[in-house]
Amino acid sequence: MSKDADVIIVGGGLNGPALALALAQGGLRTILCDALPPETRADPEFDGRAYALSLGSRRMLEALGVWPRVAPHAQIVREVTVTDARPGAAPSPFFAHFDHAEMDEGPVSQIVEDRFLRAALLEAMAREPLIDHRAPARVTGFAADDAGIEARLDDGTALRADLLAACDGRDSPIARAAGVNRVGWDYGQSGLVCAIEHERPHGGRAWQQFLPAGPFAVLPLPGDRSSIVWSERRDEAARIAALPDAAYLDELRARMGGFLGRIALAGKRYAYPLRLSLAEEYVRPRLALVGDAAHGVHPIAGQGLNLGLKDAAALAQVVVEARRRGEDAGSFAALERYQRWRRFDDTLAAFGFDLTNRLFSNDDPLLRPARDVGMALATAFAPARRFFMRQAAGLSGELPRLMEGRPL
């Protein structure tokens, strides 16, 4: 039967476009179906959302030709300070400190606003003739056979390809429809996200405080602005989210202190429940899960998007290499290589973030001194610091070529 594309991608957030561009670089035709209209994705208004892009993710965007559009809007994280604290009290005298100058390869991470990353990916897709971007278009069903997979859209269109890639988020309808089981649990926490303008310059320094209710991070944005990502117990987060702006800022000041001077909100405020969610399988016949569709992790390390981009880079490499060898790019044998590559790495990271959250999201009088001293000692030696920094930079494990900055 004739094919409409080599790969159909469901989901137009960030991982879907990145996967489409990676596959196009390898010569494969894709159809990307996004349920949201293009004008929604391309909205230039600052809404407060931002990501800590690792060095590996930045290299991938460079290899895909996207980074030049993003770079002018990126803020290098020059230093990171991690400490234990209580709201309204001085931080612990024991802390971890990381300086990007210790990394020979370059800055561990850069903070990029969601709006600039979305726009850069949309522009890159528009320039690529091998990508058919359909939006708004919702996949309502699919069926696989030995020759390929057929996806049905909400307008009645039927599309055929070798492979369907689900990049449709943590509650992936595609994964559910395929009968993929998930394991995980609720953290009883919610993530509160916003951006602030502040009086004093941040100097490119990121701060992470481990408060009894959960981690509280201040991430530098270009100019005198920062992104706030903090975890609170569910009921307390609901109370804070319902506050007017002035009272919300009071809650922020109680947690971050006055090191940035006067602060004001910039953009929207968000609150969302935190839970661990891992797909038991990343692949089914003619189907692969990517990013949040495969794994939802705690935001404690800000690595959710980086893990998703690594998934996209690995899947693209596996599929392109299979095609170059003359294999069926959507065969289960090819997809199993992707699953073996990424599932263990993602699961190890997810449980690492889970353990860190459990260890620090409490005020146990016996545990607190031990973890504070342990954190300081673990980062007192240069080899240990560089190990942690390479982990955060996304340079550990078997890297896809794109994460090394090499084209497919």
Side-chain angles (χ1 to χ4, degrees), residues 188-193 213 230-244 247-248 251 255 269-274:
Q189 297 171 314
S190 290
L192 297 168
V193 179
W230 110 72
S231 303
E232 272 289 350
R233 295 185 181 91
R234 189 70 45 77
D235 55 348
E236 179 67 358
R239 182 190 69 81
I240 294 170
L243 293 173
Y248 188 92
E251 296 285 346
R255 287 159 177 80
R269 296 157 35 181
Y270 298 89
Y272 56 95
L274 300 180

Side-chain angles (χ1 to χ4, degrees), residues 315-378:
L315 179 60
Q317 184 170 322
V318 165
V319 171
V320 168
E321 287 178 346
R323 175 59 59 84
R324 288 171 179 168
R325 288 193 295 266
E327 295 180 49
D328 178 349
S331 69
F332 197 75
L335 296 182
E336 261 292 305
R337 292 195 286 272
Y338 163 68
Q339 176 165 259
R340 287 195 304 269
W341 190 351
R342 292 301 308 142
R343 188 166 181 268
F344 177 77
D345 185 34
D346 288 335
T347 302
L348 189 64
F351 284 112
F353 305 150
D354 178 85
L355 178 61
T356 303
N357 181 59
R358 291 177 186 275
L359 179 64
F360 283 92
S361 295
N362 62 75
D363 201 19
D364 188 304
L366 297 178
L367 185 59
R368 188 183 185 94
R371 74 192 182 204
D372 289 358
V373 173
M375 180 170 59
L377 290 176

Side-chain angles (χ1 to χ4, degrees), residues 13-28:
L14 298 174
N15 294 317
L19 175 60
L21 290 167
L23 291 168
Q25 189 180 89
L28 274 64

